[in-house]
């Protein structure tokens, strides 16, 4: 018996939802790792006092996680408002000019490669079943029952940033003073390599460039802040 070929690549709305979640989670985790690592390594360049490092790291973690959550909430709320406005416009047009909307849907389906006759028949059937959903999905690329949720995005960003920030915070305060910076740098670079690979794989992209981008950005951030902290500490600031 011949089995039908299996396709495990994501399609349609599922891919969009997963990429939106991935964007918030990966950006939040990377920001948590890099920004907190840069902060604590910079402070470590000026002082080896564990209390100062812990205070700076916790302050950075709280400020960063709340800032990420607030920014994501505002951004996704704006997107949701735009989606609602577009659906309201489409609903009004379907009530006022149904024939024109049917012709528009037919043209959209025809533009996807269907013949004129098949596109018209499909448009008629979709309109009879659920006209608003048909136009929302085909014309606007929106699932009216699954609008973007700003609270989900904010929560994901807050959690991801917090988890990411904990690594450099623990790496800088737990080891002895002479090992703090090397342990933190190596730990951060290792985690950035993993998150780069993970994000690339979930996004069905080649992991090499993502890993190098993550590690390179983190290394530059830590180097710059360490040098700045060391110079300020040496100057007695």
């Amino acid at each position: 018996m011949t089995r039908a070929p299996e396709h495990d690549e994501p399609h349609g709305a599922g891919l969009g939802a997963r990429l939106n979640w991935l964007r918030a989670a990966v950006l939040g985790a990377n920001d948590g790792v890099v920004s907190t690592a840069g902060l604590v390594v910079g402070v470590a360049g000026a002082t080896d006092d564990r209390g100062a490092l812990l205070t700076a790291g916790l302050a950075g973690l709280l400020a960063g996680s709340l800032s990420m959550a607030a920014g994501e909430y505002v951004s996704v709320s704006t997107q949701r408002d735009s989606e609602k406005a577009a659906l309201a416009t489409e609903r009004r047009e379907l009530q006022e000019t149904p024939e024109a909307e049917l012709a528009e849907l037919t043209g959209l389906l025809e533009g996807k490669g269907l013949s004129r006759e098949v596109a018209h028949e499909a448009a008629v059937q979709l309109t009879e079943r659920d006209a608003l959903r048909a136009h929302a999905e085909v014309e606007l690329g929106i699932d009216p029952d699954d609008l973007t949720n700003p609270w989900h995005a904010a929560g994901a960003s807050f959690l991801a940033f917090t988890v990411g920030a904990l690594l450099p915070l623990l790496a800088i305060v737990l080891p002895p003073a002479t090992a703090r910076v090397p342990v933190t740098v190596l730990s951060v670079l290792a985690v950035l390599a993993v998150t780069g690979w993970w994000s690339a794989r979930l996004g069905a992209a080649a992991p090499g460039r993502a890993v190098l981008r993550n590690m390179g950005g983190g290394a530059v951030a830590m180097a710059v802040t360490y040098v700045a902290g060391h110079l300020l500490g040496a100057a007695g600031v």
Side-chain angles (χ1 to χ4, degrees), residues 85-235:
L87 289 173
T89 298
E90 200 62 43
R91 188 179 291 109
R92 185 182 68 252
E93 291 176 346
L94 285 167
Q95 293 175 348
E96 296 175 352
T97 56
E99 293 300 325
E101 289 300 297
L102 178 61
E104 180 183 34
L105 182 59
T106 299
L108 291 170
L109 292 173
E110 189 177 4
K112 292 179 179 294
L114 299 180
S115 67
R116 181 70 180 178
E117 294 75 14
V118 173
H120 178 71
E121 179 62 25
V124 170
Q125 292 187 24
L126 289 171
T127 299
E128 291 176 349
R129 182 176 304 170
D130 191 333
L132 179 61
R133 173 177 292 278
H135 281 266
E137 294 181 347
V138 176
E139 181 181 348
L140 305 175
I142 297 173
D143 182 350
D145 295 328
D146 189 25
L147 300 181
T148 53
N149 190 314
W151 289 107
H152 289 172
S157 292
F158 180 89
L159 181 61
F161 188 100
T162 300
V163 171
L166 283 174
L167 172 88
L169 177 58
L170 295 175
I172 203 73
V173 299
L174 293 181
T178 55
R180 285 173 186 163
V181 172
V183 167
T184 301
V185 170
L186 293 176
S187 300
V188 166
L189 292 179
V191 169
L192 291 177
V194 171
T195 58
W197 177 88
W198 179 68
S199 63
R201 294 299 298 168
L202 286 180
R209 290 184 178 179
V211 170
L212 291 177
R213 282 195 300 264
N214 270 14
M215 295 180 67
V220 169
M222 289 185 288
V224 170
T225 55
Y226 180 81
V227 170
H230 181 72
L231 292 176
L232 290 172

